[in-house]
Amino acid sequence: MAIESEVLVIGGGLGGLTSALAAAREGADVRLVSYKQSTLRQASGLVDVLGYTPNGDGPLTDPYEAIPSLPESHPYRKVGVQTVRNALSLFDDAVPTYEGEHTDTNALLPTHGGSIKPTARYPAGASAGLASDTRDTLLVGIEEMVDFDAPHVAAHLDATGVPFDVRGETIRFPGDLRADAKVTRYAKLLDTNSEVAVRGRMVPAREALAQRVNPLLEGEERVGFPAILGDDNPGAIRDALGDHLGVDVFEVPMGPPSLPGLRLEDALFSALDEAGASIETGNPVVDFEGEDRIEKVFIEKNGAKIPNSADQYVLATGGFVGKGVESDRDGVYEPVFDCHVPHAADRYDWFEGELFGDHEFARYGVATDDDLRPLDANEHSEFENLRAAGSVLGGYDFAAEKSGSGVSIATGYAAGQRAAQEAR
């Protein structure tokens, strides 16, 4: 017997989670299925709307102002500026620990590589580190964490012309952690505030960390750490460190595995749970039935194919990285429903010869109508009850534009809301 729902969302990334949340808040009976863990844990946790135009102009001050000038094939043009705003409002309500909702202007945040990134929403833990802030800054690296070289990051930031003096220092993290410890181990130690040995006596971890940083201060008014400052209650840890040091403390977003990304994932899953959506992860969609309309999909579980049926479906399986779009010698394709992916016939036209050139494959994905229904090669709807959202969509280069999270949220919101309304 098939598992039934009104809206079935396939994919557990930011687009899928937003789709499911939007549909559930519209009152639909929602089921989300995802094969893999969310890609949010690989992301910085920042939510970008649009940092640069497709021509490379930027960083943009007002991302909403630039949307009407984007190519017609861009997902933002499909959903419109107001839908982007509405989607961000849904996000703000679901994730109240983020900031940036008070303005249309992009914030500028330092990254772990020493660059400045324009972003529309950011964790509260990063707010004291804004690059527009003129307060002098000390960046603290952890000796065991080689992917955050604080002196190197500080030098790069200084070279960008930030309006403050910035230095970097490296310390050994207090406690007996292995050199290859995961970021969650650092976070757990600070969450529990367990005692660690410091010069022959036991000291709470937060105090011990502050003691290692305090002698390094040279009058700076804020201190930035890599994003390891707790998982359960990072705000309390920042406050404790700030009290010990007499400065404002912030986190610098990191690469994968990303603690801010994990926190964001937890917040969205909690919001979905509160909205009453059903969630299943770890099992792939391997087949479907239907021609003009999808009747059911089949989820592989312990060697069996379990049917799941719904009135409306949302495809949010990701792009090339998430395997929502794949390629082989014969071309580029979408593997769940075999939706058409427009692409050049000659593989040599997919990319440029230069590493940082304008690679066409970066914009490959499913093409849709203005209602986000995937289109076939003749520009007819593939299935009347299927919509697509997130990085499975084509028509934009999220890495160059710094638009990935925003597109996922905006199209996820639109696809989920419209699917719920049509399922009534």
Side-chain angles (χ1 to χ4, degrees):
M1 184 174 179
I3 300 172
E4 297 182 356
S5 57
E6 290 179 318
V7 176
L8 180 67
V9 178
I10 305 169
L14 191 52
L17 293 171
T18 307
S19 291
L21 183 59
R25 290 195 173 185
E26 280 287 310
D29 176 14
V30 178
R31 181 173 176 77
L32 181 145
V33 296
S34 176
Y35 177 31
K36 298 179 180 179
Q37 291 180 322
S38 169
T39 53
L40 284 172
R41 62 191 59 213
Q42 309 301 324
S44 67
L46 301 178
V47 174
D48 313 323
V49 171
L50 188 66
Y52 297 85
T53 69
N55 295 326
D57 297 330
L60 298 174
T61 300
D62 184 342
Y64 304 98
E65 187 177 59
I67 288 175
S69 299
L70 294 173
E72 290 186 5
S73 60
H74 199 289
Y76 280 147
R77 290 292 302 276
K78 304 286 186 183
V79 300
V81 173
Q82 189 56 52
T83 296
V84 179
R85 291 183 182 277
N86 294 344
L88 265 293
S89 293
L90 176 76
F91 177 87
D92 295 335
D93 183 70
V95 191
T97 55
Y98 271 56
E99 297 188 8
E101 75 283 355
H102 63 288
T103 178
D104 285 351
T105 302
N106 274 328
L108 299 174
L109 267 76
T111 71
H112 70 290
S115 62
I116 300 296
K117 186 176 185 182
T119 192
R121 299 289 189 274
Y122 48 92
S127 61
L130 294 179
S132 54
D133 192 328
T134 59
R135 291 178 295 171
D136 291 346
T137 303
L138 173 66
L139 298 179
V140 177
I142 307 300
E143 188 177 301
E144 298 86 352
M145 296 182 64
V146 296
D147 52 348
F148 184 74
D149 184 335
H152 176 82
V153 174
H156 272 259
L157 283 174
D158 189 58
T160 67
V162 291
F164 53 86
D165 290 334
V166 55
R167 295 187 304 114
E169 298 278 2
T170 302
I171 64 169
R172 185 167 183 80
F173 196 85
D176 188 21
L177 294 180
R178 299 194 317 266
D180 62 347
K182 296 180 179 179
V183 294
T184 49
R185 290 287 306 279
Y186 295 99
K188 186 68 174 177
L189 184 58
L190 291 169
D191 273 329
T192 59
N193 204 23
S194 301
E195 291 190 337
V196 297
V198 178
R199 293 190 293 274
R201 67 188 185 93
M202 302 306 290
V203 179
R206 300 173 192 177
E207 181 182 345
L209 179 57
Q211 286 178 2
R212 300 229 167 149
V213 175
N214 193 54
L216 305 175
L217 284 167
E218 297 180 358
E220 289 90 356
E221 298 173 271
R222 54 182 179 165
V223 173
F225 292 87
I228 59 170
L229 302 183
D231 189 17
D232 296 334
N233 194 355
I237 295 169
R238 294 194 311 274
D239 289 344
L241 290 172
D243 289 343
H244 285 301
L245 296 170
V247 299
D248 281 343
V249 169
F250 66 92
E251 289 185 313
V252 178
M254 299 290 292
S258 165
L259 200 56
L262 286 166
R263 295 175 192 146
L264 177 56
E265 178 185 76
D266 288 345
L268 288 171
F269 271 107
S270 293
L272 264 180
D273 199 42
E274 289 178 11
S278 171
I279 303 167
E280 179 181 337
T281 60
N283 300 297
V285 174
V286 294
D287 203 357
F288 73 97
E289 286 183 1
E291 293 188 10
D292 296 333
R293 183 178 181 86
I294 298 168
E295 300 299 335
K296 62 183 69 172
V297 299
F298 295 90
I299 297 174
E300 186 174 45
K301 190 172 184 179
N302 299 324
K305 293 170 68 172
I306 309 300
N308 281 244
S309 64
D311 186 74
Q312 299 290 318
Y313 297 81
V314 177
L315 177 70
T317 45
F320 282 111
V321 174
K323 302 296 185 182
V325 177
E326 297 190 20
S327 65
D328 57 24
R329 291 282 179 184
D330 295 323
V332 185
Y333 61 97
E334 183 279 305
V336 176
F337 299 111
D338 195 27
C339 291
H340 174 64
V341 177
H343 62 279
D346 190 334
R347 290 172 59 91
Y348 288 99
D349 291 333
W350 295 5
F351 52 85
E352 294 288 336
E354 307 228 348
L355 179 62
F356 296 106
D358 182 21
H359 301 292
E360 189 174 310
F361 73 82
R363 294 184 290 276
Y364 285 167
V366 173
T368 72
D369 61 16
D370 289 345
D371 205 34
L372 298 179
R373 290 187 173 92
L375 299 174
D376 63 19
N378 296 314
E379 298 193 348
H380 299 138
S381 294
E382 296 264 18
F383 304 97
E384 64 181 51
N385 61 338
L386 175 67
R387 289 174 176 83
S391 51
V392 73
L393 297 170
Y396 75 115
D397 183 345
F398 67 86
E401 298 172 3
K402 309 303 180 195
S403 63
S405 297
V407 166
S408 290
I409 291 171
T411 58
Y413 171 85
Q417 187 181 64
R418 294 170 193 178
Q421 291 168 350
E422 200 156 314
R424 291 174 181 168

